[in-house]
Every structure is written in C-alpha cells, then in structure tokens.
Amino acid sequence: MKYQPINSFFKTLLALTILISLPQIGFPQKLNYVPKKKVLNAINRNIEDATIQYKILKNTIPKNKLPRTFENGKLITSNSDWWCSGFYPGTLFYLFELTKDTVLKIEGLRNLILLEKEQYNKGTHDLGFMINNSFGIANQLFPNKSYQNILITSAQSLASRFDAKVGCIRSWNNKKPGDFLVIIDNMMNLELLFNATKLSGDSTYYKIAVKHANTTMNNHFRLDYSSYHVLEYNTETGKPMLKRTDQGFGNESAWARGQAWGLYGFTMMYAETKNKKYLDFANRIASFIITNPNLPADQIPYWDFDAPKSPQTYRDASAAAIIASALIELANFNKPSLATKYLTVAEKIILQLSTSQYKNINGQNGGFLLKHSVGSLPHNSEVDVPLTYADYYYVEAMRRYLNLQ
C-alpha cells in the first residue's frame, strides 16, 4: 500500500532530495495487461464469499480479542500484542474498499481501538504487520490525522530496535547476552518506516529501512537466492555468527513462507525507493520460487521447498497468497514478457486457492476464507489450519489483480 504524505513544501523537497540521491534509478512503464475473465469471475465470487465469511467471523469473536486461527472446531484468538493482530482489520478494510459494505468498515474501525496501544510497543519488530496493515490501510481509505500520528509513533517504536553496528532492526528479543536475532519476516515491517517518512518528513525512518534491507540482502540469502530464516549477529563486530531456519525443514532448507516474505519485501523496497538493485534482487528471488523443481504444478508450495514429499506433505496456502500478491506487484515494474510470466503464476495461484480444496465453504471454519496454511510445523503450531495472514494476502492479491484493469 502507498500512502500520500501530508502536503508541505518541506516534505515535497525532502522527497525530491531522497529520490534524486538514489543510485541506479529505473521507472516502470505502465503495465499493458488484459486480466483474464476467468480469474476476474473467480475473484468476484471470492469477494462475495469473503464478505459472508467475515461477517460470520465478526459474530464469533469476543469483543476484546482478535482472531488468530480455527482449530478442532474452535476459534483461537489473540490479544493485540500478537504479531498477527493487524491482519483481521486490514482484511476488513480491503473488503470494504471492494464492496462498500459498511458493516465491514465498522468492524474494522472497532478493532483499531484494540490495536491503538501497540504504537508504543518497543518489544516487537512486528509493528508493520500490526499497525501498517491496519491503521495504514485505514489512513489510505479514510485519511485521519490521528491515524497518521499512530503510524509515526509506531515507526519510532520500531526504529528503537535498530542497531547501527549490525545494520538491522532486531527481530526476536535476547535469550542470552549478546544475541541479536534477525528474521527474514522483518523485511515486511519496513514499509511502516517508509510511510512514516512520507507522513513526518523525517528521513531517519527511510534510511533505517534501506540499511536493514541492504544488510539482509548481503547476509540472509544463499547463492541460489533462497533465504535463511534466522541470522544471529555479533553486536560487537556487526557480523553474522550463525544462520539457521527455525520454522523450516532444516537450517539449509528453503522454508516456503520465508521465501515469500523475501520476495514481497524486496518488491516493496523497489516500489518505495526505485533503486534498481532491489528490482533485480526481487526478480532473482521470484525466479528461485517459480522455477523451483519442487514447486507443485498448481503453484501452491509445500510448507518447505526441501521437505520430503508425499501425498501427506502439507501445502502452505499462506505462502502461496503472499507470493501471488508480490508477483502481481512485481509485474508492474518489469518488461511485458517477464510481467506476463509473473501474472500467469499469480493467476494460477488465485484460481487454485479459489477451489474447494483451499477455500472454505461459506459457514465453514469459523468464517475464515482459506484453509491449509502452516504456521510452524517444527513447533507443531498452527499446522494445516486457516490463518488471518493467509486471508489478508489472498484478498490483497485479488485487489491488486483487479487494479490491473
């Protein structure tokens, strides 16, 4: 999502200064692509069904809780400090934008009240997920000074976790002295920093986002452009000490959602900076994913690209939804041949997730839209269940596809 800055001469001048200073600038051509009627028809049905489902979900959630998943016939909820807390209101706002159904808007706004205190939470790196995906979308649809202030304060809280020596924002908190852990997921929180610079005119947030992305690009990825999940940095030297994959099959495996985070994150970096090195990097990550011999023909990845395959191996609808959304965005910045390749994959994902194999029947699974996502199989957490972020990125992917028209 892109948010418009508050108008002022200073902020306009700042934006121009940042833009002029960027190396290897490349500006995308307007994508000339005709969306497929079959995909558009599926999306229209999905939006109708999502509206029905989310009204069911709305009526199930305790008023002081947020939805997390649905397991064994029971809704699992969270408090506002859970990393997924922003996805439910964000999805409601996306659906309101697409349907103009005020019931969805009202429910989304009610949930913002629960989330508001998290702007001061300096104990998590997930403020992008929590605040940008809720208040950020609300501010785009219903611009409001209080929303803008919450976004800026949240960015301040997130920036407090930045270490200049390491060049990254700390992800998980210390378990022992000297730990500085950074996970690939943290790329998704940088958009909050870009939006804070637009809203405040303070380039500090922009610079932290760029530094984090550059450090991640240099250290987090293998030669084939697959990504580790977790890096442990030495705070004295700023160098990585250990690379591992906690939520994947093994330390050297390509955990599917981690690859999706990287693709989405570096696509966003190019969208925000227009620095061509991020576009090139996002294209290489995309190539790793869509040409991977372990990617099933229906384009819905296994929970880890390198996990042993059998009919019982779990797929991850959440990773597929994130990949589809990222590929549609990435298509806008590339030449027609590559753009068409990306959109063809995204179309296959949307259509496959629209089948009964992955989409819940109305009234099923507590009101969630998608089924068959995997949180963390090694921790036996949220395995083969619906998840709020799967729904969020699926709706976002469909919204982005509709915007191709």
Side-chain angles (χ1 to χ4, degrees), residues 189-353:
N189 294 295
L190 303 184
E191 192 170 7
L192 172 64
L193 300 178
F194 286 116
N195 288 329
T197 286
K198 296 174 189 176
L199 292 169
S200 70
D202 185 346
S203 64
T204 303
Y205 309 113
Y206 184 105
K207 292 172 182 176
I208 289 175
V210 167
K211 183 63 176 177
H212 181 100
N214 290 345
T215 303
T216 301
M217 187 164 59
N218 291 335
N219 296 328
H220 234 95
F221 286 80
R222 306 180 183 97
L223 294 177
D224 62 358
Y225 294 95
S226 66
S227 168
Y228 290 96
H229 177 205
V230 189
L231 260 65
E232 294 185 22
Y233 284 91
N234 184 304
T235 52
E236 293 184 3
T237 66
K239 302 296 182 184
M241 301 182 297
L242 182 65
K243 303 181 180 186
R244 65 180 200 259
T245 300
D246 282 14
Q247 291 176 236
F249 175 68
N251 283 337
E252 295 299 326
S253 70
W255 172 51
R257 196 166 73 249
Q259 312 318 303
W261 293 144
L263 174 64
Y264 192 110
F266 282 98
T267 299
M268 178 274 300
M269 286 300 301
Y270 179 71
E272 294 292 344
T273 68
K274 300 302 183 291
N275 188 326
K276 191 174 180 295
K277 73 177 181 181
Y278 299 130
L279 177 61
D280 293 341
F281 204 76
N283 283 331
R284 291 183 181 113
I285 299 171
S287 179
F288 170 83
I289 292 171
I290 67 179
T291 65
N292 196 296
N294 293 325
L295 181 66
D298 64 5
Q299 312 297 304
I300 311 300
Y302 296 101
W303 70 279
D304 189 299
F305 281 96
D306 299 305
K309 305 303 184 293
S310 76
Q312 288 73 44
T313 304
Y314 294 112
R315 304 290 192 93
D316 187 0
S318 73
I322 298 161
I323 289 167
S325 184
L327 287 175
I328 295 168
E329 178 79 345
L330 187 56
N332 286 289
F333 307 132
N334 279 285
K335 295 179 179 178
S337 59
L338 191 54
T340 298
K341 184 176 182 179
Y342 291 158
L343 291 171
T344 299
V345 173
E347 288 167 346
K348 288 181 179 179
I349 292 173
I350 289 171
L351 288 174
Q352 186 62 25
L353 292 179

Side-chain angles (χ1 to χ4, degrees), residues 109-157:
L109 294 176
R110 183 187 71 80
N111 280 268
L112 291 187
I113 299 171
L114 300 178
L115 284 167
E116 187 171 341
K117 64 179 178 293
E118 299 305 329
Q119 65 184 297
Y120 305 108
N121 188 345
K122 297 181 180 180
T124 179
H125 69 286
D126 284 315
L127 286 169
F129 287 133
M130 297 158 69
I131 301 297
N132 201 60
N133 291 356
S134 54
F135 283 95
I137 299 173
N139 185 59
Q140 187 199 33
L141 297 178
F142 335 109
N144 183 300
K145 182 65 175 177
S146 66
Y147 296 164
Q148 293 159 12
N149 289 337
I150 288 169
L151 288 163
I152 293 168
T153 301
S154 300
Q156 291 170 352
S157 297

Side-chain angles (χ1 to χ4, degrees), residues 152-171:
I152 293 168
T153 301
S154 300
Q156 291 170 352
S157 297
L158 179 59
S160 73
R161 300 177 64 81
F162 178 73
D163 184 283
K165 186 73 172 181
V166 173
C168 277
I169 297 165
R170 184 192 301 273
S171 297

